[in-house]
Amino acid sequence: KLFLFIVMCCIASVTTFAQENKWGAGINIGYGTDISKPFIGVRAQYDIIEQLSIAPSFNYYFKTSEDIGYGEEIDYNYWDINVDLHWNVLHGESFKLYPLVGLTYMHGKASYEGESETDGWVGANVGVGAQLNLGTNWCVGVEAKYQIIEGGQFVPLATIMYRF
């Protein structure tokens, strides 16, 4: 009987855990001030507990070209990967306000006349954000964070996510 009771408690706790913690997936749009270009990206979010969420994302910055004279250009491509931890300081049924900290990897590539050079930078993110639930499955959010990497950059962004 004790074993059966323990098994029932474990099943109940797993079921409760699965109902309270939600996944989300969505799209980011934003701007990187050091790169001076907008980006579009994808994001996932998992609520570890009510007060903590983890949010990995991938962002692709729109390609830029720089005229170096004589009709020649250098093309620049950038993307970044982020994993941020949100501390949901203020949270309710329809909203969350949070500071965030995380890690980032920025990748850059410069191309000129068939030749290219790439570089990557590892850094940290620090910022704040807010999320507003639109019904039971949709939410929108905004964030403002600073990427502490070589040169550093301020990154404001907006996101829309489907929560399941």
PDB file of all heavy atoms in Angstrom, residues 118-136:
ATOM      1  N   THR A 118      35.597  35.429 -41.302  1.00  0.00           N
ATOM      2  CA  THR A 118      34.591  35.321 -40.261  1.00  0.00           C
ATOM      3  C   THR A 118      35.218  35.535 -38.893  1.00  0.00           C
ATOM      4  O   THR A 118      36.423  35.372 -38.709  1.00  0.00           O
ATOM      5  CB  THR A 118      33.898  33.944 -40.274  1.00  0.00           C
ATOM      6  OG1 THR A 118      34.872  32.941 -40.018  1.00  0.00           O
ATOM      7  CG2 THR A 118      33.217  33.685 -41.595  1.00  0.00           C
ATOM      8  N   ASP A 119      34.374  35.910 -37.953  1.00  0.00           N
ATOM      9  CA  ASP A 119      34.811  36.089 -36.574  1.00  0.00           C
ATOM     10  C   ASP A 119      33.624  35.822 -35.664  1.00  0.00           C
ATOM     11  O   ASP A 119      32.475  35.942 -36.089  1.00  0.00           O
ATOM     12  CB  ASP A 119      35.344  37.510 -36.349  1.00  0.00           C
ATOM     13  CG  ASP A 119      36.309  37.603 -35.184  1.00  0.00           C
ATOM     14  OD1 ASP A 119      36.492  36.585 -34.468  1.00  0.00           O
ATOM     15  OD2 ASP A 119      36.876  38.683 -34.977  1.00  0.00           O
ATOM     16  N   GLY A 120      33.888  35.449 -34.433  1.00  0.00           N
ATOM     17  CA  GLY A 120      32.834  35.191 -33.467  1.00  0.00           C
ATOM     18  C   GLY A 120      33.192  35.781 -32.121  1.00  0.00           C
ATOM     19  O   GLY A 120      34.369  35.888 -31.772  1.00  0.00           O
ATOM     20  N   TRP A 121      32.175  36.194 -31.386  1.00  0.00           N
ATOM     21  CA  TRP A 121      32.375  36.808 -30.083  1.00  0.00           C
ATOM     22  C   TRP A 121      31.424  36.175 -29.083  1.00  0.00           C
ATOM     23  O   TRP A 121      30.231  36.038 -29.354  1.00  0.00           O
ATOM     24  CB  TRP A 121      32.113  38.309 -30.140  1.00  0.00           C
ATOM     25  CG  TRP A 121      32.898  39.005 -31.199  1.00  0.00           C
ATOM     26  CD1 TRP A 121      34.145  39.519 -31.088  1.00  0.00           C
ATOM     27  CD2 TRP A 121      32.487  39.264 -32.552  1.00  0.00           C
ATOM     28  NE1 TRP A 121      34.542  40.087 -32.277  1.00  0.00           N
ATOM     29  CE2 TRP A 121      33.537  39.938 -33.196  1.00  0.00           C
ATOM     30  CE3 TRP A 121      31.330  38.991 -33.278  1.00  0.00           C
ATOM     31  CZ2 TRP A 121      33.465  40.333 -34.523  1.00  0.00           C
ATOM     32  CZ3 TRP A 121      31.264  39.380 -34.599  1.00  0.00           C
ATOM     33  CH2 TRP A 121      32.327  40.051 -35.204  1.00  0.00           C
ATOM     34  N   VAL A 122      31.940  35.808 -27.932  1.00  0.00           N
ATOM     35  CA  VAL A 122      31.121  35.279 -26.845  1.00  0.00           C
ATOM     36  C   VAL A 122      30.939  36.386 -25.823  1.00  0.00           C
ATOM     37  O   VAL A 122      31.883  37.134 -25.532  1.00  0.00           O
ATOM     38  CB  VAL A 122      31.793  34.056 -26.186  1.00  0.00           C
ATOM     39  CG1 VAL A 122      30.995  33.574 -24.979  1.00  0.00           C
ATOM     40  CG2 VAL A 122      31.960  32.935 -27.206  1.00  0.00           C
ATOM     41  N   GLY A 123      29.752  36.514 -25.293  1.00  0.00           N
ATOM     42  CA  GLY A 123      29.504  37.578 -24.336  1.00  0.00           C
ATOM     43  C   GLY A 123      28.334  37.261 -23.429  1.00  0.00           C
ATOM     44  O   GLY A 123      27.871  36.126 -23.339  1.00  0.00           O
ATOM     45  N   ALA A 124      27.846  38.295 -22.774  1.00  0.00           N
ATOM     46  CA  ALA A 124      26.746  38.168 -21.827  1.00  0.00           C
ATOM     47  C   ALA A 124      25.645  39.160 -22.169  1.00  0.00           C
ATOM     48  O   ALA A 124      25.893  40.183 -22.812  1.00  0.00           O
ATOM     49  CB  ALA A 124      27.243  38.424 -20.407  1.00  0.00           C
ATOM     50  N   ASN A 125      24.439  38.848 -21.744  1.00  0.00           N
ATOM     51  CA  ASN A 125      23.283  39.731 -21.908  1.00  0.00           C
ATOM     52  C   ASN A 125      22.799  40.170 -20.541  1.00  0.00           C
ATOM     53  O   ASN A 125      22.794  39.383 -19.589  1.00  0.00           O
ATOM     54  CB  ASN A 125      22.122  38.997 -22.601  1.00  0.00           C
ATOM     55  CG  ASN A 125      22.441  38.579 -24.006  1.00  0.00           C
ATOM     56  OD1 ASN A 125      23.167  39.259 -24.717  1.00  0.00           O
ATOM     57  ND2 ASN A 125      21.895  37.456 -24.434  1.00  0.00           N
ATOM     58  N   VAL A 126      22.367  41.414 -20.446  1.00  0.00           N
ATOM     59  CA  VAL A 126      21.721  41.919 -19.241  1.00  0.00           C
ATOM     60  C   VAL A 126      20.648  42.901 -19.696  1.00  0.00           C
ATOM     61  O   VAL A 126      20.870  43.688 -20.610  1.00  0.00           O
ATOM     62  CB  VAL A 126      22.736  42.565 -18.268  1.00  0.00           C
ATOM     63  CG1 VAL A 126      23.434  43.747 -18.885  1.00  0.00           C
ATOM     64  CG2 VAL A 126      22.098  42.925 -16.960  1.00  0.00           C
ATOM     65  N   GLY A 127      19.451  42.813 -19.085  1.00  0.00           N
ATOM     66  CA  GLY A 127      18.379  43.697 -19.527  1.00  0.00           C
ATOM     67  C   GLY A 127      17.092  43.509 -18.752  1.00  0.00           C
ATOM     68  O   GLY A 127      17.078  42.901 -17.675  1.00  0.00           O
ATOM     69  N   VAL A 128      16.000  44.011 -19.337  1.00  0.00           N
ATOM     70  CA  VAL A 128      14.671  43.914 -18.748  1.00  0.00           C
ATOM     71  C   VAL A 128      13.676  43.574 -19.851  1.00  0.00           C
ATOM     72  O   VAL A 128      13.930  43.811 -21.031  1.00  0.00           O
ATOM     73  CB  VAL A 128      14.235  45.227 -18.052  1.00  0.00           C
ATOM     74  CG1 VAL A 128      15.113  45.528 -16.856  1.00  0.00           C
ATOM     75  CG2 VAL A 128      14.218  46.386 -19.019  1.00  0.00           C
ATOM     76  N   GLY A 129      12.527  43.024 -19.436  1.00  0.00           N
ATOM     77  CA  GLY A 129      11.509  42.690 -20.415  1.00  0.00           C
ATOM     78  C   GLY A 129      10.132  42.600 -19.788  1.00  0.00           C
ATOM     79  O   GLY A 129       9.979  42.608 -18.562  1.00  0.00           O
ATOM     80  N   ALA A 130       9.142  42.509 -20.655  1.00  0.00           N
ATOM     81  CA  ALA A 130       7.750  42.372 -20.235  1.00  0.00           C
ATOM     82  C   ALA A 130       7.037  41.479 -21.238  1.00  0.00           C
ATOM     83  O   ALA A 130       7.379  41.459 -22.426  1.00  0.00           O
ATOM     84  CB  ALA A 130       7.064  43.726 -20.166  1.00  0.00           C
ATOM     85  N   GLN A 131       6.053  40.750 -20.736  1.00  0.00           N
ATOM     86  CA  GLN A 131       5.273  39.855 -21.586  1.00  0.00           C
ATOM     87  C   GLN A 131       3.803  40.011 -21.222  1.00  0.00           C
ATOM     88  O   GLN A 131       3.452  40.061 -20.043  1.00  0.00           O
ATOM     89  CB  GLN A 131       5.733  38.421 -21.352  1.00  0.00           C
ATOM     90  CG  GLN A 131       5.045  37.395 -22.190  1.00  0.00           C
ATOM     91  CD  GLN A 131       5.632  36.018 -21.953  1.00  0.00           C
ATOM     92  OE1 GLN A 131       6.838  35.838 -22.062  1.00  0.00           O
ATOM     93  NE2 GLN A 131       4.785  35.072 -21.618  1.00  0.00           N
ATOM     94  N   LEU A 132       2.952  40.088 -22.228  1.00  0.00           N
ATOM     95  CA  LEU A 132       1.514  40.225 -22.033  1.00  0.00           C
ATOM     96  C   LEU A 132       0.820  39.060 -22.720  1.00  0.00           C
ATOM     97  O   LEU A 132       1.004  38.845 -23.920  1.00  0.00           O
ATOM     98  CB  LEU A 132       1.016  41.549 -22.622  1.00  0.00           C
ATOM     99  CG  LEU A 132      -0.477  41.820 -22.536  1.00  0.00           C
ATOM    100  CD1 LEU A 132      -0.916  41.934 -21.069  1.00  0.00           C
ATOM    101  CD2 LEU A 132      -0.828  43.078 -23.295  1.00  0.00           C
ATOM    102  N   ASN A 133       0.054  38.280 -21.947  1.00  0.00           N
ATOM    103  CA  ASN A 133      -0.679  37.146 -22.506  1.00  0.00           C
ATOM    104  C   ASN A 133      -1.938  37.639 -23.196  1.00  0.00           C
ATOM    105  O   ASN A 133      -2.684  38.450 -22.653  1.00  0.00           O
ATOM    106  CB  ASN A 133      -1.035  36.149 -21.409  1.00  0.00           C
ATOM    107  CG  ASN A 133       0.187  35.507 -20.814  1.00  0.00           C
ATOM    108  OD1 ASN A 133       1.207  35.355 -21.466  1.00  0.00           O
ATOM    109  ND2 ASN A 133       0.096  35.140 -19.551  1.00  0.00           N
ATOM    110  N   LEU A 134      -2.165  37.133 -24.395  1.00  0.00           N
ATOM    111  CA  LEU A 134      -3.366  37.456 -25.175  1.00  0.00           C
ATOM    112  C   LEU A 134      -4.204  36.190 -25.247  1.00  0.00           C
ATOM    113  O   LEU A 134      -4.046  35.390 -26.146  1.00  0.00           O
ATOM    114  CB  LEU A 134      -2.989  37.924 -26.582  1.00  0.00           C
ATOM    115  CG  LEU A 134      -2.010  39.082 -26.679  1.00  0.00           C
ATOM    116  CD1 LEU A 134      -1.617  39.316 -28.135  1.00  0.00           C
ATOM    117  CD2 LEU A 134      -2.605  40.335 -26.065  1.00  0.00           C
ATOM    118  N   GLY A 135      -5.029  35.969 -24.278  1.00  0.00           N
ATOM    119  CA  GLY A 135      -5.797  34.731 -24.207  1.00  0.00           C
ATOM    120  C   GLY A 135      -4.958  33.632 -23.586  1.00  0.00           C
ATOM    121  O   GLY A 135      -3.982  33.888 -22.878  1.00  0.00           O
ATOM    122  N   THR A 136      -5.306  32.391 -23.867  1.00  0.00           N
ATOM    123  CA  THR A 136      -4.616  31.272 -23.224  1.00  0.00           C
ATOM    124  C   THR A 136      -3.365  30.827 -23.963  1.00  0.00           C
ATOM    125  O   THR A 136      -2.472  30.242 -23.357  1.00  0.00           O
ATOM    126  CB  THR A 136      -5.561  30.058 -23.085  1.00  0.00           C
ATOM    127  OG1 THR A 136      -6.056  29.708 -24.378  1.00  0.00           O
ATOM    128  CG2 THR A 136      -6.715  30.364 -22.159  1.00  0.00           C
TER     129      THR A 136
END
